[in-house]
Amino acid sequence: MFNKVVPALVKSSSDKIKRICLSQGRFRSTVASTQGDEVEGGKEKQVDEGTVVKAVQADTIIQSKNTTDAQTQKIEIDFDNTHEAYKSKDNIELLRSLLVFKLCTFDFLVDKNKMLMDLSKKVFGQRLFERLMKMTFYGQFVAGEDHNSIKPLIHKNQAFGVGSVLDYSVEEDLTQEEAEKKEMDACVSEAEKESPGVDHREKKYKAHRQFGDRRGGVVSARTYFYADEAKCDNQMETFLNCIKASGGASIDGFSAIKMTALGRPQFLLQFSEVLVKWRRFFNLLAAQQGKSGMDALEQKLELEQLKESLTKLGVGNKDDIENWFTGEKLGSSGTIDLLDWNSLINDRTSISNLLVIPNVETGQLEPLLRKFTVEEEKQMKRMLQRVDILAKHAVENGVRLMVDAEQTYFQPAISRLTLEMQRIFNREKPIIFNTYQCYLKEAYDNVSVDVELSRREGWYFGAKLVRGAYMYQERSRAEEIGYEDPINPDYEATNRMYHKCLEFVLEEIDHNRKANVMVASHNEDTVKFTLEKMNQMGLSPTENKVYFGQLLGMCDQISFPLGQAGFPVYKYVPYGPVNEVIPYLSRRALENRGFMKGSQRERSLLWKELKRRLLNGQILYKPVY
């Protein structure tokens, strides 16, 4: 909505931006074909991303689009070829994988894993405990303790065609009570503390103590709690070191960041509520013109009717309304769509002035909160400055920045700020990547709107598609607090949404080669679906437009065959000191329980490769690279 949120507030970036007129041309339909929706038909229900019930044919043909007599090249990806999948691993590493994955199937060990790790530390002592962890869970899922110790693993994976997304995985080990207190202190403004309930905030975008510990029900995402501005600066320095390590350790690497680590989450809550309410106001106006129920970008409001509606509602005076829709702010089509609407309110000199919403009852633009303190204003600005610094360092170090997704009450603001960074830094190539959680009902609308904006303004769209990490927490919060569940009804619906979003981005790549997507999934069917679509569209892996991503220590039977066949594939590579990544390891054990119980596939492939080596006399097998 606010084209100049970041440029107006981060002065160092403002000189780089010029006002970009919206194109007046016609664009392709935002409605992707429904072919992807049928991919899961006839399958049994899948429990998690790793469960594979029925395979899709992987042998596909890439056709050259540039010649009439298209000479076909057949690329075969055999995900059952254990020799290719595990050629980067020695026998000890295979045995470790088998042990760890087996341990993850025992409920008692998984449920009590944190307690057992703490007990082991007391019984064995720190040094022996660390050695034990490096032989098991830490060695399986974590690359090393610092940016120097991870380099050998990164270089080895790179030699076998697999890149890295570096992710410093250290978290505070807080009690639930400590986490709840920090969250409430960080998410409630001074105005709300002084006069609770006066500002009529929506329940979804307010902090609630029973959900203050954002780690609850989340197994695969780091969680940061705000303490003070100095802590945010320290976390920014950690991300900067991660960017430098990524630039020094690999070619075209990624580094992952989280917005909640970079500032007070109160701003993310408030900004998200504003963005959602403005979009809801647009939907209300569309409904008045009989255009409800359409996809987001298919809703085009008739300009004259819109002016009349706004005048009747009293939202701004007549001259202001007329000025909103003139000149470069609108094309000559006589209609206005969601992207035009989002560009209307700009040039705010302070962040608190951005946080205004239309009140349909009073017909006024009103501040979301009664007042903002000077310190709150500074805190909001510092968050944006930290994001800007990280993006600049990513450019300087030749690293791409992956902004992780978070809870839906933070996500509209996170996505908007990421979009502003893309507008600035994705001019020449994709540097900033946003993350889209496809278990959300609105995932397709979000993807299609952002792709269309990138197309109109001419910058490189970058996306990571995931199924999502917060489902159980989000469902529980929506039910208990009392707002609509934002999550798709079941796993099959999420699969359809994932493939629909993916197909849309692939079509955009096919049209102009300026979109880029990471298929971040452990689901083998989704990977095969992507390969099939790429081949149908003639998208070569060497164009580096479609990436694949999996977690370190998981699904090597997908990652390494893809990498060795020339596809850009990346492992999410966590690192950090043993004691400080225990919260991460604890969640990884919980996540792997479902993964390993749902499918025996990875363990059976590991056994198959180990037996093959033993029968061939490769008892002391060492990777050669």
Side-chain angles (χ1 to χ4, degrees), residues 89-95 609-623:
K89 312 288 184 188
D90 62 31
N91 290 344
I92 297 297
E93 289 175 298
L94 296 185
L95 287 169
E609 175 59 13
L610 199 56
K611 290 173 186 176
R612 186 194 67 79
R613 291 181 185 179
L614 294 177
L615 290 173
N616 290 335
Q618 296 177 305
I619 298 174
L620 301 177
Y621 174 84
K622 292 288 182 184

Side-chain angles (χ1 to χ4, degrees), residues 110-289:
V110 173
D111 291 334
K112 305 294 183 182
N113 76 84
K114 182 69 164 56
M115 182 189 73
L116 291 171
M117 283 191 279
D118 291 340
L119 180 62
S120 299
K121 194 189 304 183
K122 291 178 182 176
V123 172
F124 296 115
Q126 183 63 34
R127 292 182 65 182
L128 192 55
F129 169 74
E130 288 189 9
R131 181 174 294 183
L132 182 65
M133 292 302 295
K134 287 179 180 179
M135 290 171 60
T136 54
F137 287 94
Y138 183 93
Q140 182 70 19
F141 300 119
V142 183
E145 300 205 37
D146 54 44
H147 63 273
N148 286 318
S149 64
I150 66 177
K151 287 182 180 179
L153 176 64
I154 290 172
H155 290 152
K156 182 175 79 167
N157 284 352
Q158 200 166 39
F160 290 94
V162 176
S164 300
V165 181
L166 294 197
D167 187 13
Y168 191 68
S169 296
V170 169
E171 298 177 23
E172 288 183 280
D173 194 7
L174 301 173
T175 66
Q176 181 176 338
E177 185 178 354
E178 289 170 334
E180 289 174 353
K181 184 179 186 310
K182 283 195 170 189
E183 186 74 352
M184 296 305 294
D185 289 343
C187 289
V188 181
S189 70
E190 289 302 316
E192 289 174 294
K193 290 175 184 175
E194 291 175 8
S195 307
V198 169
D199 292 298
H200 307 293
R201 297 279 310 283
E202 285 197 15
K203 292 182 287 187
K204 179 175 181 178
Y205 299 100
K206 295 183 72 172
H208 299 268
R209 184 171 291 277
Q210 64 267 45
F211 294 97
D213 186 352
R214 288 183 277 112
R215 300 167 300 181
V218 178
V219 296
S220 59
R222 290 165 299 144
T223 303
Y224 292 92
F225 293 95
Y226 180 84
D228 52 40
E229 293 298 296
K231 182 70 177 292
C232 293
D233 286 335
N234 290 338
Q235 286 166 172
M236 182 188 71
E237 288 297 326
T238 297
F239 289 147
L240 288 173
N241 291 332
C242 194
I243 289 170
K244 291 173 186 173
S246 184
S250 63
I251 302 169
D252 289 333
F254 284 89
S255 188
I257 67 168
K258 256 185 159 51
M259 287 284 189
T260 49
L262 298 172
R264 185 168 178 164
Q266 172 195 332
F267 172 50
L268 296 177
L269 280 173
Q270 292 165 348
F271 194 23
S272 291
E273 184 172 354
V274 167
L275 290 166
V276 167
K277 284 184 173 178
W278 272 102
R279 183 153 175 177
R280 198 180 294 158
F281 187 42
F282 177 86
N283 292 336
L284 171 68
L285 296 168
Q288 289 179 355
Q289 295 192 15

Side-chain angles (χ1 to χ4, degrees), residues 1 202 273-289 299 301 306 309-316 321 324-325 338 341-342 344-345 356-361 363-365:
M1 171 167 42
E202 285 197 15
E273 184 172 354
V274 167
L275 290 166
V276 167
K277 284 184 173 178
W278 272 102
R279 183 153 175 177
R280 198 180 294 158
F281 187 42
F282 177 86
N283 292 336
L284 171 68
L285 296 168
Q288 289 179 355
Q289 295 192 15
Q299 292 179 321
L301 306 185
L306 175 60
S309 296
L310 293 174
T311 302
K312 287 179 182 177
L313 288 170
V315 180
I321 294 170
W324 283 356
F325 301 104
L338 183 61
W341 177 260
N342 287 345
L344 292 178
I345 298 179
V356 294
I357 55 174
N359 186 324
V360 178
E361 294 177 2
Q364 300 295 317
L365 291 177

Side-chain angles (χ1 to χ4, degrees), residues 205-489:
Y205 299 100
K206 295 183 72 172
H208 299 268
R209 184 171 291 277
Q210 64 267 45
F211 294 97
D213 186 352
R214 288 183 277 112
R215 300 167 300 181
V218 178
V219 296
S220 59
R222 290 165 299 144
T223 303
Y224 292 92
F225 293 95
Y226 180 84
D228 52 40
E229 293 298 296
K231 182 70 177 292
C232 293
D233 286 335
N234 290 338
Q235 286 166 172
M236 182 188 71
E237 288 297 326
T238 297
F239 289 147
L240 288 173
N241 291 332
C242 194
I243 289 170
K244 291 173 186 173
S246 184
S250 63
I251 302 169
D252 289 333
F254 284 89
S255 188
I257 67 168
K258 256 185 159 51
M259 287 284 189
T260 49
L262 298 172
R264 185 168 178 164
Q266 172 195 332
F267 172 50
L268 296 177
L269 280 173
Q270 292 165 348
F271 194 23
S272 291
E273 184 172 354
V274 167
L275 290 166
V276 167
K277 284 184 173 178
W278 272 102
R279 183 153 175 177
R280 198 180 294 158
F281 187 42
F282 177 86
N283 292 336
L284 171 68
L285 296 168
Q288 289 179 355
Q289 295 192 15
K291 297 181 179 180
S292 59
M294 298 180 178
D295 283 333
L297 285 174
E298 297 301 312
Q299 292 179 321
K300 296 183 186 296
L301 306 185
E302 299 299 326
L303 187 53
E304 292 308 315
Q305 291 183 44
L306 175 60
K307 289 178 182 178
E308 290 176 13
S309 296
L310 293 174
T311 302
K312 287 179 182 177
L313 288 170
V315 180
N317 61 50
K318 194 170 183 179
D319 290 338
D320 285 340
I321 294 170
E322 190 66 35
N323 289 333
W324 283 356
F325 301 104
T326 57
E328 63 181 1
K329 293 180 180 177
L330 190 68
S332 57
S333 63
T335 62
I336 179 170
D337 67 10
L338 183 61
L339 293 179
D340 300 322
W341 177 260
N342 287 345
S343 71
L344 292 178
I345 298 179
N346 298 309
D347 303 316
R348 303 281 180 168
T349 57
S350 67
I351 303 179
S352 57
N353 286 342
L354 290 172
L355 302 180
V356 294
I357 55 174
N359 186 324
V360 178
E361 294 177 2
T362 65
Q364 300 295 317
L365 291 177
E366 298 178 349
L368 185 69
L369 292 176
R370 187 164 48 83
K371 69 175 183 177
F372 290 85
T373 66
V374 173
E375 182 55 31
E376 286 172 337
E377 187 83 30
K378 289 178 180 177
Q379 289 168 349
M380 296 177 200
K381 184 175 287 189
R382 288 190 202 114
M383 174 184 277
L384 302 181
Q385 289 170 335
R386 292 181 188 110
V387 175
D388 188 63
I389 289 169
L390 290 172
K392 287 178 178 174
H393 274 74
V395 172
E396 291 168 5
N397 287 272
V399 173
R400 288 163 292 186
L401 210 58
M402 191 79 75
V403 181
D404 285 343
E406 304 193 46
Q407 285 88 349
T408 53
Y409 43 91
F410 293 139
Q411 193 57 43
I414 291 170
S415 289
R416 188 64 201 176
L417 296 176
T418 305
L419 196 69
E420 296 296 342
M421 290 295 102
Q422 288 180 315
R423 289 171 126 163
I424 299 169
F425 296 101
N426 285 13
R427 287 285 161 194
E428 304 297 327
K429 59 182 180 179
I431 297 292
I432 311 297
F433 279 64
N434 199 3
T435 301
Y436 297 87
Q437 300 185 101
C438 295
Y439 66 12
L440 296 177
K441 295 173 182 176
E442 62 180 20
Y444 178 76
D445 278 350
N446 292 338
V447 169
S448 61
V449 166
D450 291 353
V451 166
E452 186 72 5
L453 182 64
S454 72
R455 203 164 195 260
R456 292 184 186 187
E457 297 184 346
W459 43 268
Y460 285 80
F461 176 79
K464 179 180 71 169
L465 298 182
V466 299
R467 280 173 171 77
Y470 304 98
M471 181 178 73
Y472 299 111
Q473 183 188 102
E474 293 273 16
R475 281 221 163 108
S476 176
R477 190 178 190 269
E479 182 178 4
E480 187 161 336
I481 294 174
Y483 57 88
E484 183 184 352
D485 184 355
I487 308 295
N488 286 319

Side-chain angles (χ1 to χ4, degrees), residues 28-48:
R28 71 181 178 88
S29 170
T30 59
V31 182
S33 77
T34 58
Q35 187 173 355
D37 290 3
E38 308 304 323
V39 168
E40 303 296 333
K43 287 193 177 128
E44 297 175 28
K45 185 174 181 180
Q46 299 189 29
V47 179
D48 58 78

